[in-house]
């Protein structure tokens, strides 16, 4: 892999190898954490690895660009793949093992099983904007959880709806793993870290952080008594003024059920998915009513 021996991390590519290593850890009485990723790792991922390391003795990082969660006109082929660099970063953040399977390992010939979470937490936000996306997510995550059988699995809150879908799936299927969320990791200027940020041109990157700043201002306005829809309309107008393109959604939703809200009377999240050039950016931030 081109890494010095001191910097190498163990990499396995088959389920048999993965299970054999985990069996050895279990025989030693060690706990196991899992952080599923699609690679192109950044500091946000590394913060997940560090959190997992605080919760488990050994941390498995999966690196797999999952074809079933991409739509027909999305960026599966273009999605950045940097396995050697990813392995180095995983090692530096305390991971113990990288699982980097091929598509045929995750979806064997004749594969005919998909996991489909339904209901209100899917029928909104990215579930509407990207039909079939969460079916692909639930399918691959369920496979990874059953392959690793970790004590804990960590998912970032930038993909907050994904976190809620996975929690629903784990509860419904009685998969014996604790699912933990991790706070959004941001650049100094507020932009939520994402592998897709690499698609942004310099000029697009200079403005991309305004998504978070606009959401933050809307949150402050709502807390100050502004009508929710008026605050969201202001964000939409502001994003257009700043050069953003299509807005997939811009909504205030219940932090637990993802039900849409028109007033702030319980813990909520502001959600946005918007295009900057050809790059789809998503972000969210928590907002709670002030104590009376």
């Amino acid at each position: 892999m081109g890494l010095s021996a001191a910097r190498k991390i163990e990499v396995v590519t088959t389920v048999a190898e993965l299970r054999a290593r985990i069996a050895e850890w279990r025989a030693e009485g060690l706990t196991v954490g899992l952080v599923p990723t699609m690679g192109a790792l950044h500091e946000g991922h590394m913060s997940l690895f560090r959190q997992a390391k605080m919760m488990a003795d050994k941390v498995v990082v999966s690196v797999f660009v999952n074809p079933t969660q991409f739509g027909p006109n999305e960026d599966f082929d273009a999605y950045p793949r940097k396995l050697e660099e990813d392995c180095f970063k995983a090692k530096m953040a305390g991971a113990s093992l990288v699982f980097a399977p091929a598509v045929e390992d995750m979806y064997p010939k004749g594969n005919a099983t998909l996991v489909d979470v339904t209901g209100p937490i899917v029928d909104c936000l990215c579930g509407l904007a990207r039909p079939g996306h969460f079916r692909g997510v639930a399918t691959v995550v369920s496979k990874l959880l059953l392959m690793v059988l970790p004590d804990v699995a960590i998912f970032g809150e930038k993909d907050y709806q994904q976190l809620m879908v996975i929690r629903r799936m784990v509860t419904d299927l009685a998969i014996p793993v604790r699912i933990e969320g991790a706070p959004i990791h941001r650049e100094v200027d507020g932009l939520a870290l994402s592998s897709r940020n690499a698609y942004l041109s310099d000029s697009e990157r200079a403005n991309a952080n305004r998504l978070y700043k606009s959401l933050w201002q809307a949150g402050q306005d709502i807390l100050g008594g502004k009508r929710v829809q008026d605050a969201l309309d202001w964000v939409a107008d502001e994003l257009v003024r700043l050069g953003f393109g299509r807005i997939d959604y811009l909504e205030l939703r219940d932090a637990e059920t993802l039900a849409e809200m028109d007033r702030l009377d319980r813990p909520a999240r502001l959600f946005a998915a918007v295009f900057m050039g050809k790059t789809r950016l998503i972000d969210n931030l928590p907002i709670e009513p002030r104590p009376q």
Side-chain angles (χ1 to χ4, degrees), residues 17-264:
E17 292 174 307
L18 174 69
R19 286 177 169 160
R21 175 61 69 226
I22 292 171
E24 292 177 0
W25 294 341
R26 294 297 191 188
E28 297 174 26
L30 302 176
T31 55
V32 179
L34 170 67
V35 183
T37 83
M38 291 206 301
L41 303 181
H42 49 66
E43 182 56 35
H45 293 109
M46 295 174 75
S47 70
L48 303 184
F49 307 158
R50 288 190 285 266
Q51 180 170 327
K53 185 61 178 174
M54 290 189 292
M55 296 180 172
D57 300 313
K58 297 289 185 178
V59 176
V60 175
V61 172
S62 64
V63 176
F64 178 66
V65 183
N66 176 37
T68 65
Q69 69 189 70
F70 288 80
N73 298 312
E74 295 184 342
D75 58 338
F76 174 72
D77 291 331
Y79 197 87
R81 293 161 170 83
K82 305 176 180 179
L83 183 58
E84 182 173 339
E85 184 178 326
D86 289 344
C87 290
F88 172 73
K89 290 180 177 179
K91 174 71 172 180
M92 292 301 100
S96 310
L97 178 74
V98 169
F99 177 47
V103 172
E104 52 268 27
D105 292 304
M106 296 301 292
Y107 298 99
K109 184 178 180 181
N111 179 80
T113 302
L114 295 170
V115 178
D116 199 3
V117 179
T118 61
I121 62 168
V122 174
D123 297 337
C124 61
L125 303 174
C126 283
L128 289 180
R130 303 178 68 189
H133 170 68
F134 287 119
R135 182 185 303 116
V137 168
T139 299
V140 77
V141 171
S142 64
K143 286 173 176 278
L144 289 168
L145 293 176
L146 293 172
M147 290 170 180
V148 177
L149 290 177
D151 298 279
V152 62
I154 313 292
F155 296 85
E157 291 184 353
K158 184 177 76 69
D159 297 292
Y160 189 85
Q161 187 179 15
Q162 171 181 278
L163 172 63
M164 302 302 286
V165 168
I166 291 166
R167 282 180 168 156
R168 181 75 267 161
M169 176 194 72
V170 165
T171 297
D172 292 349
L173 298 182
I175 300 175
V177 58
R178 187 167 91 254
I179 302 297
E180 291 285 346
I184 297 174
H185 204 89
R186 300 183 181 277
E187 300 278 10
V188 175
D189 65 1
L191 178 65
L193 289 178
S194 169
S195 300
R196 289 187 170 96
N197 290 350
Y199 299 158
L200 297 167
S201 68
D202 290 344
S203 60
E204 290 168 347
R205 173 61 187 84
N207 265 340
N209 68 307
R210 301 300 289 273
L211 173 59
Y212 168 70
K213 292 181 178 180
S214 298
L215 286 177
W216 183 88
Q217 185 58 57
Q220 295 303 302
D221 291 344
I222 292 169
L223 285 168
K226 192 170 187 177
R227 288 182 63 249
V228 169
Q229 192 56 54
D230 290 342
L232 296 178
D233 289 344
W234 175 84
V235 175
D237 291 342
E238 183 72 358
L239 294 178
V240 170
R241 185 184 72 79
L242 292 167
F244 286 84
R246 188 181 88 223
I247 297 175
D248 274 353
Y249 55 77
L250 180 59
E251 301 173 12
L252 181 72
R253 289 189 171 264
D254 186 289
E256 292 298 323
T257 67
L258 298 189
E260 194 165 10
M261 298 169 59
D262 58 10
R263 59 193 177 95
L264 185 65

